[in-house]
Amino acid sequence: MGVRGERARIVRRWLPIAVACLAVSLLPVSPVSAAEEPAGADEPASDALAAAETVPDDAAGGVEVVRYAGSDQYELSLAVSQALVDAAGGISEWAVLASGESWADAATAGPLAASLGAPVVLVPPGGLQTPTARPDLVEFLRSTGVRRVVIVGGADVLPNHEPSVLYGLGMLPRNIERVHGDDPVGSAIAVAERIGAPAEFGELGRTVLIVSDQSMADAVAVGPLAAAGPFPLLLTAPGALNPRIAAYLTEHEVTHAVLVGGTAAIAPAVEEALETAGTAVTRLAGRDRSATARLAAELTEQHTADDPACADGPIRLGLVPAQSPEQALTAGPLLAALCTPLRYTDTDQLSSDLHNTLYLARHRPEGSQAHVFAGAEQVSDASINSPLTRKPPLRIAFVSGTQVEGRPTLVIAIIDENRSMVLHLEDQGIGGIKGLRWSPDGRHLAYEGIQDGTWGLFVLDTFTGHNRRLTPPAQQFRFSTWAWPVWSPDGNHLAMSAFVDTSPHGTDADGEPMGANLYVAEVGAGTLRQLTKTPLQDHFWSWSPDSRRIIFGRHGHFVVPLGSDGSKSGDEFLLAHLESGARTQIDPAGQRIGRWLWSPDGEQAALELVSPNEEHAGTPDVYRASLSALPDLELVDTGHDGYIQGWSDDGQLLAMRSDYHAEGYFWFLDPEFEAVSQLQPHEIGSPGGDVIFRGWSPDSHRALLVKYGATPGSTRELLLIDAATGDHTALPLEAGTQLNFGGLSFAPDGTQIVASVNHLESWRIAVQAARHGSLPVELIDISEYTPVTDGITSVSVHWTANGIVGAIGWHSDY
């Protein structure tokens, strides 16, 4: 339940457990309920008035709107087709015709049309026969010089009896092809056969897209990707892989399939059948069609990233109303030609991810365009160039106190970029709230709390206000600061190390001594799995990039002694496969793993091996682990010693620090762990002081470093270093500003940085341009909402697909 208040003031005190102990000024609760707020179906609405009052007077330009509209689907398809032909010089030898009554034929025709450099034109029933032909269709075919056509669909769907429009335009029977099957699945396969060998998606090889024959929205969302390959778009029933598709994949040596939609759209059995047959699977599954379209857009951008034809020109984005995906049914070939992904939008407001996308687009120096497949009454120019998009969406979460019906209670408060506030959990009766952790997409918050006398893990959907307990209410789940629940990269799971007390004697139901065991919660299903059962401590380390594997350490400290002699188990390191539960023992030859870093593709890892005698550990040795042949795992000494820092986003560079002294240096290594370049801290930035590695820019091989001043309390510098040349750019910070160690993140496109800073004893969130070095723009002064700031230990921030999210950490979290 959310309550909104404009610039509400919060006096906040932390209570470890009991809400009843609140003895501070509390947040007032408005009588307006969440149901009465003007929010969208899946997230809070923004306050346009507040936005207009607080928008900075920046120099960012607007987004150019290119609109495609028509009185019906046929006129709209002609508008889209004309734009494609015009972009190619005004003439098209080919056209692909599909019935306007069959979305499946039109969608699967997209990649075929792209392979021919042709548009997809929708034709009404009987529309190819002279007496019933549409004049605009005839004129389009004539004016664009079409001489050859492919008709997708059977004669019962799109008849072509003599005399026809096509013959009237001078086409001979041999210039007219018909591609179809006995049903939509068969027609899609027939179209795929006509395309020829599927295109390759990078190293994954020949690729096809598979969509449920019940989901037009998913088919439209991947239309630009299908056309960009071209990758054949195949249809299957939701529950099982159609055997005709399996035969097609084998015959054409397809090695990679993209499944579009969640398990409700395409069942796990389809994925299992593909993987059993040796086909690698990528699943695009968002929480709704808009989220799935965003994932498809990301994959489209990944595929076209190295295409020289996509390197120049403005940043483009396709938009279609989420409730009317059919309006972009034939847009795939056009958007692929423009190197443009397609996104879904609501008709009355911008979702946070589109707000974020448009904000970044309008601040790109190349300029930006929105290609809109809807009339202005559905998606207006004003909504695209709203004053809201002059600032990125921002949500900062923290725990505070309020009163509900005269009773003190704890809440999670979230403030946005317009200084509006929403309160959550007022009526949940949850105490001891701490450990706020945002999901990777910036929608959900995981946290620890106590409800009805037991501690557990909860997840709050910040868009809808829905709160869910993921751990059993009858069990005490306790986490320590080294074992906070950690989101998987895909945001579908939370992994945690937890002590679970089911009896007062520290034993489980079978009377066995208890330790910290490894658990994984599937957030969407609300289920919890126990992966290990040990009297020791299984300490979660990290997720693999594909969210399918987990590294964890098993430690023998602080547990009931094993064996009659009181000895304890030695340390172990293991890799667990989430789906099968299979484990691989990692043998570091008597040493301990100091740090483990997966490469972005998950095929290898860099790790530090240190002596178990910490007093004489010295500098760790750097090893590499090959993960391509699991369960076999081999550790190879790279010949380097130092501290690994982080992989670049493309996996081509690994940053390594020789030691943590100012006279030390940074190495940049290639995937074979060969040195590419080296630099010393004193060579960059202002004289004196040390530097700390803080990550890679997503769009380049620029490393982000923070340089500390030579004297305590001096202003830190942000430095962007070109790893190949050593050239660096210093980003200005206001005098008296100190960067918070936990608050620094790049925007997804690498053009901007968000940071949490402490300026003259005031905590602030600011955005800094990462290219041209303009002064930062302040978004929020946190002290306005949390005047009691002496208990703040950190203000974390991260830039997600849904904008900037952050959380305030307090001493009581530890």
Side-chain angles (χ1 to χ4, degrees), residues 235 271 296 306 339 407 440 443 448 559 631 659 673 761:
L235 304 177
E271 185 170 357
D306 297 328
C339 307
R407 293 178 293 103
R443 172 166 180 163
E448 182 183 357
V559 296
D659 55 51
F673 289 76
E761 305 303 320

Side-chain angles (χ1 to χ4, degrees), residues 467-794:
N467 187 59
R468 170 182 280 178
R469 184 172 192 151
L470 295 181
T471 54
Q475 292 180 297
Q476 296 274 8
F477 271 73
R478 298 182 182 273
F479 314 102
S480 68
T481 53
W482 52 261
W484 285 119
V486 179
W487 288 94
S488 59
D490 63 8
N492 293 329
H493 295 86
L494 280 158
M496 68 208 82
S497 302
F499 295 91
V500 182
D501 297 326
T502 57
S503 81
H505 304 294
T507 60
D508 64 14
D510 299 324
E512 297 294 328
M514 293 174 51
N517 289 296
L518 195 63
Y519 295 81
V520 173
E522 185 176 351
V523 177
T527 57
L528 183 73
R529 293 172 54 199
Q530 182 175 347
L531 295 189
T532 65
K533 185 176 181 180
T534 175
L536 307 177
Q537 292 191 31
D538 284 348
H539 179 191
F540 172 85
W541 277 36
S542 67
W543 285 97
S544 63
D546 63 3
S547 301
R548 293 187 171 189
R549 291 168 287 177
I550 290 172
I551 284 285
F552 69 97
R554 176 164 290 173
H555 303 277
H557 303 292
F558 312 114
V559 296
V560 177
L562 304 177
S564 58
D565 61 354
S567 61
K568 294 181 175 67
S569 168
D571 290 355
E572 298 177 280
F573 304 94
L574 301 99
L575 186 150
H577 194 280
L578 183 62
E579 296 170 1
S580 67
R583 299 175 200 167
T584 298
Q585 184 81 30
I586 303 172
D587 183 11
Q591 295 177 295
R592 290 180 178 173
I593 299 177
R595 194 177 187 193
W596 175 287
L597 291 179
W598 303 86
S599 61
D601 62 5
E603 293 297 313
Q604 67 173 330
L607 62 152
E608 301 168 359
L609 292 188
V610 298
S611 168
N613 185 347
E614 296 181 359
E615 293 181 359
H616 305 286
T619 304
D621 297 319
V622 176
Y623 277 66
R624 65 186 297 184
S626 175
L627 302 163
S628 57
L630 289 174
D632 296 324
L633 180 68
E634 181 182 8
L635 302 184
V636 178
D637 190 344
T638 66
H640 299 286
D641 56 2
Y643 301 87
I644 52 178
Q645 305 291 296
W647 293 92
S648 60
D649 280 18
D650 61 4
Q652 295 304 302
L653 289 176
L654 173 68
M656 187 186 76
R657 179 80 188 254
S658 65
D659 55 51
Y660 286 121
H661 301 287
E663 62 271 17
Y665 51 84
F666 281 94
W667 285 105
F668 296 104
L669 311 178
D670 66 18
E672 301 301 319
F673 289 76
E674 297 294 331
V676 174
S677 61
Q678 167 189 336
L679 62 89
Q680 288 188 298
H682 71 265
E683 298 174 341
I684 54 177
S686 58
D690 195 10
V691 296
I692 293 179
F693 177 86
R694 292 305 308 275
W696 292 92
S697 169
D699 64 338
S700 67
H701 285 167
R702 295 181 301 162
L704 178 64
L705 306 178
V706 175
K707 184 155 190 177
Y708 292 83
T711 59
S714 57
T715 301
R716 302 169 184 174
E717 290 181 293
L718 278 178
L719 300 170
L720 281 169
I721 309 294
D722 187 314
T725 65
D727 295 339
H728 67 275
T729 301
L731 303 180
L733 291 175
E734 193 174 353
T737 297
Q738 295 293 324
L739 287 167
N740 175 29
F741 188 79
L744 197 61
S745 175
F746 275 102
D749 65 356
T751 60
Q752 299 184 62
I753 297 171
V754 62
S756 63
V757 299
N758 194 304
H759 179 69
L760 303 178
E761 305 303 320
S762 174
W763 289 88
R764 299 181 180 182
I765 305 296
V767 167
Q768 165 79 64
R771 286 189 170 178
H772 49 77
S774 63
L775 290 173
V777 175
E778 178 188 321
L779 295 180
I780 289 288
D781 183 344
I782 295 172
S783 62
E784 295 181 16
Y785 299 88
T786 58
V788 182
T789 59
D790 55 345
I792 295 179
T793 57
S794 66

Side-chain angles (χ1 to χ4, degrees), residues 245-287:
I245 293 180
Y248 169 85
L249 299 181
T250 300
E251 179 182 353
H252 291 272
E253 300 179 343
V254 173
T255 57
H256 177 224
V258 178
L259 294 186
V260 188
T263 54
I266 300 180
V270 176
E271 185 170 357
E272 293 167 4
L274 290 167
E275 292 181 332
T276 300
T279 303
V281 174
T282 299
R283 185 184 281 269
L284 304 180
R287 300 185 186 279

Side-chain angles (χ1 to χ4, degrees), residues 284-618:
L284 304 180
R287 300 185 186 279
D288 53 31
R289 63 179 54 175
S290 297
T292 297
R294 188 187 75 227
L295 296 175
E298 292 173 356
L299 204 61
T300 303
E301 292 171 342
Q302 179 182 337
H303 175 67
T304 60
D306 297 328
D307 186 346
C310 300
D312 299 325
I315 303 300
R316 298 183 178 95
L317 176 70
L319 293 176
V320 66
Q323 301 307 313
S324 304
E326 69 279 358
Q327 294 181 177
L329 188 56
T330 63
L334 171 63
L335 293 179
L338 297 174
C339 307
T340 302
L342 180 68
R343 298 280 293 278
Y344 289 139
T345 182
D346 294 328
T347 58
D348 56 347
Q349 67 177 30
L350 289 176
S351 62
S352 59
D353 66 321
L354 270 178
H355 174 177
N356 187 54
T357 299
L358 290 171
Y359 166 80
L360 294 174
R362 69 182 297 161
H363 286 77
R364 294 290 293 255
E366 304 95 328
S368 55
Q369 290 179 345
H371 291 254
V372 183
F373 300 88
E377 71 283 358
Q378 289 181 295
V379 181
S380 67
D381 290 19
S383 67
I384 294 172
N385 283 299
S386 165
L388 292 172
T389 61
R390 294 190 184 179
K391 294 192 295 184
L394 167 75
R395 286 175 297 146
I396 302 297
F398 59 96
V399 181
S400 188
T402 188
Q403 285 190 344
V404 176
E405 297 179 352
R407 293 178 293 103
T409 186
L410 287 183
V411 295
I412 293 178
I414 299 178
I415 42 179
D416 67 15
E417 71 278 6
N418 300 315
R419 292 174 166 79
S420 295
M421 183 170 60
V422 175
L423 306 184
H424 295 278
L425 312 181
E426 306 99 307
D427 59 354
Q428 300 286 311
I430 301 176
I433 301 171
K434 60 181 179 178
L436 304 182
R437 296 290 187 273
W438 284 98
S439 60
D441 64 358
R443 172 166 180 163
H444 292 82
L445 268 175
Y447 65 94
E448 182 183 357
I450 183 170
Q451 186 181 45
D452 298 328
T454 57
W455 287 90
L457 174 67
F458 300 79
V459 169
L460 170 68
D461 185 331
T462 63
F463 287 1
T464 66
H466 177 67
N467 187 59
R468 170 182 280 178
R469 184 172 192 151
L470 295 181
T471 54
Q475 292 180 297
Q476 296 274 8
F477 271 73
R478 298 182 182 273
F479 314 102
S480 68
T481 53
W482 52 261
W484 285 119
V486 179
W487 288 94
S488 59
D490 63 8
N492 293 329
H493 295 86
L494 280 158
M496 68 208 82
S497 302
F499 295 91
V500 182
D501 297 326
T502 57
S503 81
H505 304 294
T507 60
D508 64 14
D510 299 324
E512 297 294 328
M514 293 174 51
N517 289 296
L518 195 63
Y519 295 81
V520 173
E522 185 176 351
V523 177
T527 57
L528 183 73
R529 293 172 54 199
Q530 182 175 347
L531 295 189
T532 65
K533 185 176 181 180
T534 175
L536 307 177
Q537 292 191 31
D538 284 348
H539 179 191
F540 172 85
W541 277 36
S542 67
W543 285 97
S544 63
D546 63 3
S547 301
R548 293 187 171 189
R549 291 168 287 177
I550 290 172
I551 284 285
F552 69 97
R554 176 164 290 173
H555 303 277
H557 303 292
F558 312 114
V559 296
V560 177
L562 304 177
S564 58
D565 61 354
S567 61
K568 294 181 175 67
S569 168
D571 290 355
E572 298 177 280
F573 304 94
L574 301 99
L575 186 150
H577 194 280
L578 183 62
E579 296 170 1
S580 67
R583 299 175 200 167
T584 298
Q585 184 81 30
I586 303 172
D587 183 11
Q591 295 177 295
R592 290 180 178 173
I593 299 177
R595 194 177 187 193
W596 175 287
L597 291 179
W598 303 86
S599 61
D601 62 5
E603 293 297 313
Q604 67 173 330
L607 62 152
E608 301 168 359
L609 292 188
V610 298
S611 168
N613 185 347
E614 296 181 359
E615 293 181 359
H616 305 286

Side-chain angles (χ1 to χ4, degrees), residues 52-92:
E53 293 174 346
T54 59
V55 165
D57 183 18
D58 62 15
V63 178
E64 179 187 356
V65 177
V66 181
R67 192 176 298 278
Y68 309 88
S71 60
D72 57 23
Q73 68 266 41
Y74 307 107
E75 186 176 325
L76 177 58
S77 81
L78 288 173
V80 173
S81 297
Q82 188 67 58
L84 176 61
V85 174
D86 288 345
I91 299 295
S92 177

